[in-house]
Amino acid sequence: AQSVTQLGSHVSVSEGALVLLRCNYSSSVPPYLFWYVQYPNQGLQLLLKYTTGATLVKGINGFEAEFKKSETSFHLTKPSAHMSDAAEYFCAVSDGWGYSSASKIIFGSGTRLSIRP
Amino acid sequence: ETGVTQTPRHLVMGMTNKKSLKCEQHLGHNAMYWYKQSAKKPLELMFVYNFKEQTENNSVPSRFSPECPNSSHLFLHLHTLQPEDSALYLCASSQERGGRTGELFFGEGSRLTVL
């Protein structure tokens, strides 16, 4: 069975600093991996995803993530934080196959990112 | 018009009321989901519909009753709820290809408060 662990429920960085949000997963088959962002009182929005191919994935708003199979990690980074990046971030994994695979996306507990002026 | 629309955005109900949450997706997807998001808890998958057929019910209490009349609409009927059912209920849709789940597209959620 697959699972996702997000290290750190709350991360605080200064504006302009590097953002690093950590995600480790377990999966018995090659996974699909996702990062979603949730702003207050809104639904989740896809930031980026890894399916196959290039292990460094670029997403919206300057975020990127690297799939490292040997470390079972999919950490999210952004070189320079902006105040508008303050939100909740969720890592998710999917390894479902078969007709009923629609249910197989598992989310982490989320990391709240705060940006200090 | 957004891809996934949820109504109402906010709902307050008593424990004896009956109400419904509505979700509509305009993306032509073939799978729809209900998630529950409570404070300080991971997202909880409640129900999955694939081509209008319910394919998963994650041990959800019977006071929550889903309905999927077609691949674009999903309802969550609520009755005799408990205060602990207060949460943000998120609807999502996805396009399944070759049996592998695609990315989820979420609505903005319905904030439910049970008094």
Side-chain angles (χ1 to χ4, degrees), chain A residues 30-32 34 36 38 41-44 46 49 90 94-105 107-109, chain B residues 9 31 33 35 37 42-43 45 48 50-51 55-56 88 90 96 98-104 106-109 111:
Chain A
Y32 284 7
F34 309 83
Y36 285 84
Q38 185 179 32
N41 300 312
Q42 293 189 23
L44 279 70
L46 183 72
K49 64 180 179 182
F90 294 90
S94 166
D95 69 357
W97 291 94
Y99 183 78
S100 299
S101 66
S103 61
K104 302 304 181 186
I105 295 182
F107 286 85
S109 301
Chain B
R9 292 293 311 279
Y33 314 71
Y35 282 89
Q37 187 177 34
L43 267 73
L45 178 64
V48 180
N50 199 329
F51 293 101
T55 59
E56 187 139 343
L88 182 67
L90 292 166
E96 297 246 324
R100 192 70 188 258
T101 304
E103 67 191 72
L104 297 175
F106 284 86
E108 294 194 321
R111 173 71 62 187

Side-chain angles (χ1 to χ4, degrees), chain B residues 41-61:
Chain B
K41 283 187 170 182
L43 267 73
E44 300 173 55
L45 178 64
M46 300 176 71
F47 301 104
V48 180
Y49 279 82
N50 199 329
F51 293 101
K52 304 186 300 177
E53 300 296 322
Q54 183 175 316
T55 59
E56 187 139 343
N57 174 341
N58 270 356
S59 303
V60 180

Side-chain angles (χ1 to χ4, degrees), chain B residues 10-95:
Chain B
H10 299 273
L11 178 62
V12 179
M13 58 187 289
M15 293 168 61
T16 59
N17 291 158
K18 288 184 180 181
K19 297 285 184 183
S20 295
L21 305 180
K22 178 183 175 183
C23 176
E24 183 175 2
Q25 60 100 356
H26 310 278
L27 301 168
H29 289 165
N30 55 19
M32 295 187 75
Y33 314 71
W34 280 116
Y35 282 89
K36 177 182 178 183
Q37 187 177 34
S38 305
K40 303 188 188 305
K41 283 187 170 182
L43 267 73
E44 300 173 55
L45 178 64
M46 300 176 71
F47 301 104
V48 180
Y49 279 82
N50 199 329
F51 293 101
K52 304 186 300 177
E53 300 296 322
Q54 183 175 316
T55 59
E56 187 139 343
N57 174 341
N58 270 356
S59 303
V60 180
S62 59
R63 56 186 184 269
F64 294 92
S65 175
E67 179 190 0
C68 188
N70 55 61
S71 57
S72 298
H73 293 84
L74 185 64
F75 295 88
L76 188 63
H77 303 300
L78 316 168
H79 62 99
T80 59
L81 295 190
Q82 305 297 312
E84 60 265 29
D85 297 323
S86 298
L88 182 67
Y89 289 85
L90 292 166
C91 175
S93 69
S94 72
Q95 182 64 30

Side-chain angles (χ1 to χ4, degrees), chain A residues 42-108:
Chain A
Q42 293 189 23
L44 279 70
Q45 177 186 4
L46 183 72
L47 269 180
L48 49 80
K49 64 180 179 182
Y50 168 79
T51 54
T52 58
T55 56
L56 182 62
V57 180
K58 294 186 185 300
I60 62 172
N61 302 339
F63 285 93
E64 61 183 35
E66 186 171 10
F67 170 58
K68 292 187 175 180
K69 183 178 178 180
S70 62
E71 299 177 8
T72 60
S73 68
F74 191 58
H75 301 330
L76 182 71
T77 60
K78 182 174 180 177
S80 177
H82 192 272
M83 296 299 291
S84 61
D85 294 327
E88 187 94 16
Y89 291 80
F90 294 90
C91 183
V93 62
S94 166
D95 69 357
W97 291 94
Y99 183 78
S100 299
S101 66
S103 61
K104 302 304 181 186
I105 295 182
I106 303 299
F107 286 85

Side-chain angles (χ1 to χ4, degrees), chain A residues 12-19 79-85 114-117:
Chain A
S12 179
V13 302
S14 297
E15 190 174 19
L18 171 71
V19 175
S80 177
H82 192 272
M83 296 299 291
S84 61
D85 294 327
S114 299
I115 311 297
R116 301 187 301 271

